[in-house]
Amino acid sequence: MNFGRILTAMVTPFNQHGQLDVEATKDLVRHLMANGTEALVVAGTTGESPTLSTEEKLMLFKTVVETVNGQIPVIAGTGSNNTQASIELTKQAEQIGVDAIMLVVPYYNKPCQEGMYAHFSAIANTTKLPVMLYNIPGRSAVNMTPDTTLRLAQIPNIVSTKEASGDLEAIASIIEHAPEGFSVYSGDDSLTLPILAIGGTGVVSVASHIVGNEMQQMVRNYQGGQVTAAAMQHRQLLPVMKTLFIAPNPTAVKAALEMKGVTVGSVRLPLIPLTAEQQAELQTVVHPTMNFFVS
């Protein structure tokens, strides 16, 4: 499956009572589709998945699938550190009609490489959906090696990986040795262009909530051979990408969306809203009329 170049790891909108906001979710999906997003990753890290109940995840998947209406792929975050629970959620997501699933490296349990392989293969073998792996050692406390990723890439429906290790050498090894058609995405906005330069496919992005069209323009320039222009645009976007992580994700991107008039509400505990100082810092790089690219 071709997921595109700019995928958005979508935030989960909550209302003023901290409940899932279905109407705001629909509005957010439409906003993202109109602003450069080629696929949506739902109920991932940026979607505050640890705080979502199974019922909320299923409602979120259903709402996004219905709103997208086949226009772009919907990738459901069904991974967890509980293999059987992930299998059950994957089956339910498949029935709802998502286009693919994303499976994160199990967190807290700290499995070995063979345990990771067994975990991912067990889930993949219970579904016909395409699978995107998600390696994020900063949150899972363990790193999936390129060798394990490449072993998993031999399973027919494991077709992609989101790499948030920040290790360009490891990512290059995956790209070099993966089967034809296996896609490798950056899990870090700031590495979008470097990963494209070594043969990666694109990015699963947080910043695309705010600068999706600009990121698309950067990628188009790179693909069109306008490397100098793409590099300049990448540098101009870096302050936005950096500032969106001044607090634990997705605190800042939710605040940035609200600044731009897109209602998504606040974060759930144990995350807390930005401080006044952080809000002021965010406003220096994000406001409704800002021109992100300087000629």
Side-chain angles (χ1 to χ4, degrees):
M1 171 173 281
N2 179 11
F3 298 128
R5 298 286 182 178
I6 305 295
L7 289 60
T8 298
M10 195 182 83
V11 303
T12 299
F14 300 129
N15 63 23
Q16 61 184 347
H17 304 295
Q19 301 164 328
L20 177 64
D21 191 327
V22 170
E23 292 306 312
T25 298
K26 295 176 184 177
D27 290 341
L28 174 61
V29 169
R30 288 188 281 262
H31 162 79
L32 293 172
M33 287 196 296
N35 286 278
T37 292
E38 295 174 86
L40 290 168
V41 176
V42 184
T45 304
T46 309
E48 297 177 77
S49 58
T51 73
L52 297 175
S53 68
T54 298
E55 291 72 22
E56 286 175 320
K57 289 179 182 179
L58 295 174
M59 177 57 70
L60 194 58
F61 298 157
K62 182 175 184 291
T63 300
V64 175
V65 166
E66 290 177 352
T67 306
V68 164
N69 194 27
Q71 296 174 77
I72 61 174
V74 177
I75 305 168
T78 60
S80 71
N81 60 353
N82 180 330
T83 307
Q84 189 56 43
S86 293
I87 289 171
E88 292 168 6
L89 183 58
T90 296
K91 289 178 178 178
Q92 291 172 299
E94 186 170 5
Q95 291 174 347
I96 285 170
V98 303
D99 299 289
I101 59 167
M102 185 178 73
L103 303 177
V104 67
V105 168
Y107 41 88
Y108 192 80
N109 318 52
K110 299 183 75 172
C112 64
Q113 297 299 312
E114 194 62 35
M116 292 181 207
Y117 179 83
H119 168 81
F120 287 124
S121 58
I123 302 168
N125 287 334
T126 65
T127 182
K128 295 179 181 178
L129 292 174
V131 176
M132 174 185 284
L133 305 173
Y134 180 17
N135 186 35
I136 182 164
R139 287 182 180 266
S140 64
V142 287
N143 179 58
M144 184 160 63
T145 65
D147 285 346
T148 301
T149 299
L150 291 168
R151 279 183 70 198
L152 288 162
Q154 300 304 315
I155 297 172
N157 62 328
I158 297 184
V159 300
S160 182
T161 188
K162 174 186 176 184
E163 265 288 335
S165 64
D167 185 343
L168 284 175
E169 185 175 333
I171 294 167
S173 179
I174 295 169
I175 294 167
E176 178 67 17
H177 300 289
E180 184 177 355
F182 187 85
S183 57
V184 178
Y185 288 90
S186 175
D188 298 295
D189 281 305
S190 62
L191 291 181
T192 302
L193 198 57
I195 285 178
L196 284 175
I198 61 172
T201 307
V203 62
V204 180
S205 175
V206 174
S208 56
H209 284 90
I210 308 301
V211 288
N213 284 331
E214 290 84 351
M215 293 178 74
Q216 281 286 0
Q217 185 180 337
M218 177 187 71
V219 171
R220 284 194 299 270
N221 279 336
Y222 177 77
Q223 292 177 322
Q226 303 297 314
V227 177
T228 300
M232 180 179 70
Q233 291 165 339
H234 192 77
R235 294 192 302 272
Q236 291 170 348
L237 290 173
L238 281 175
V240 180
M241 295 170 176
K242 179 181 178 181
T243 307
L244 289 176
F245 286 85
I246 56 174
N249 187 42
T251 311
V253 72
K254 278 193 154 183
L257 283 164
E258 290 281 340
M259 288 176 186
K260 291 179 71 67
V262 181
T263 300
V264 293
S266 189
V267 289
R268 278 181 173 171
L269 289 171
L271 300 183
I272 58 173
L274 297 182
T275 64
E277 292 79 9
Q278 290 170 328
Q279 282 270 0
E281 182 178 353
L282 184 63
Q283 283 177 325
T284 65
V285 297
V286 176
H287 56 75
T289 60
M290 174 163 282
N291 180 13
F292 286 97
F293 287 160
V294 180
S295 301

